[in-house]
Amino acid sequence: MGRPSRLGDEDRSDYGRALDEVIASPEIRLLLERSGVPGGRLRVRGLAAVARTTSAADAEYRRYADLRRRARGGRQDAGVSPLSGPGDQERPGAGVLAVLGVLTPVLAAVAAATFLLLGYGLRLAEALPALAGTLVGVGWFSLVVAAVTALVSVVALYRTAAKQSADGTASVPDRSPAVEDAREAWLAALRDRGIRPFLLQQLTEAAPPPGPGDGHGSRFSSPAFAGPDFSGPDFSGPGFEGSGFRGSGGPAPDGSEPHR
């Protein structure tokens, strides 16, 4: 048997919904009340064990993914932008350029405000006129840089959003009945063979141990009164007569009055 398939990014929402359906079932709800485990904590455990639970329905998931890929013309996860992983990034420096596009206008605007305040402050104080003129000139230049870079960043962001929206709407076709049937078969196998057994195991391990009073029968059992031949206490033996025991409602065994 080969290595289990890795769950695609677009299928994680289906996994989350299947997990919520199993947690909302009466069986799991009853066990949650008995064990005292919060439902949110159980959901976090189910999300963390996605590799373990999905392996139980790996055959159904392979069939579903294969039919979906064929319906898309052989493209692997068309229209879905990958979240992470080696080889998924379009360009190695795309992240650096995006950060620079955001930081450059901000830093240039801060520098422009600082230089302009210092320059005009020196002019008002009529001190160091040469330095004041230089600071004012640098401040206006920084302000122009901030405006230009902000405009370029907004245009680039708009083009990227428009391109992703067009790709997402044009390349993902409607799901065929065969693909939908394969998806439902995978989700059913995932719930019955993957998620439910895992949650039951987690709740069984989290159940509190039975207390000392949870068993059947009396909590106290004395060896002297637990024998099969015991019928009642014997008050007629010689040991009882010499023990000095006196009742509160009648004469003593020797005929004398009881002590008050």
Side-chain angles (χ1 to χ4, degrees):
M1 187 174 179
R3 182 180 180 182
S5 301
R6 178 181 176 271
L7 192 65
D9 295 326
E10 65 178 319
D11 299 322
R12 293 185 180 273
S13 59
D14 288 337
Y15 178 85
R17 284 191 291 269
L19 178 62
D20 293 336
E21 291 177 4
V22 177
I23 294 177
S25 63
E27 178 185 13
I28 300 299
R29 282 296 178 186
L30 180 60
L31 292 177
L32 281 173
E33 295 177 359
R34 291 179 178 178
S35 62
V37 177
R41 183 183 303 175
L42 188 65
R43 189 177 192 275
V44 171
R45 293 180 182 178
L47 293 175
V50 59
R52 174 181 174 182
T53 54
T54 54
S55 62
D58 186 63
E60 288 79 3
Y61 181 70
R62 287 178 183 270
R63 181 174 179 273
Y64 167 52
D66 184 63
L67 290 176
R68 182 175 58 189
R69 184 170 56 253
R70 292 179 183 177
R72 291 173 175 176
R75 294 185 300 271
Q76 181 70 24
D77 295 337
V80 179
S81 58
L83 299 180
S84 61
D88 290 338
Q89 292 79 13
E90 295 181 0
R91 297 188 304 272
V96 177
L97 293 178
V99 172
L100 291 178
V102 174
L103 290 181
T104 302
V106 176
L107 295 178
V110 172
T114 303
F115 290 141
L116 290 176
L117 287 175
L118 291 176
Y120 283 112
L122 291 176
R123 282 187 178 182
L124 291 176
E126 297 181 353
L128 302 175
L131 180 60
T134 302
L135 291 176
V136 171
V138 173
W140 281 110
F141 177 77
S142 300
L143 188 61
V144 172
V145 172
V148 172
T149 53
L151 181 62
V152 172
S153 299
V154 171
V155 173
L157 181 62
Y158 174 78
R159 290 185 60 185
T160 302
K163 183 179 179 182
Q164 290 182 354
S165 177
D167 292 342
T169 56
S171 59
V172 179
D174 294 336
R175 289 175 176 174
S176 63
V179 175
E180 283 295 333
D181 293 341
R183 175 174 172 269
E184 292 299 329
W186 167 60
L187 291 176
L190 179 64
R191 289 190 295 263
D192 297 337
R193 300 203 306 263
I195 297 178
R196 180 172 282 106
F198 173 77
L199 297 184
L200 291 176
Q201 179 184 359
Q202 294 295 314
L203 293 175
T204 302
E205 295 176 354
D214 294 341
H216 298 286
S218 176
R219 297 185 180 181
F220 174 76
S221 177
S222 175
F225 297 94
D229 298 332
F230 173 77
S231 59
D234 186 7
F235 298 103
S236 61
F240 175 79
E241 295 179 357
S243 61
F245 177 82
R246 298 292 184 269
S248 59
D254 56 358
S256 59
E257 293 295 329
H259 296 282
R260 300 291 183 184

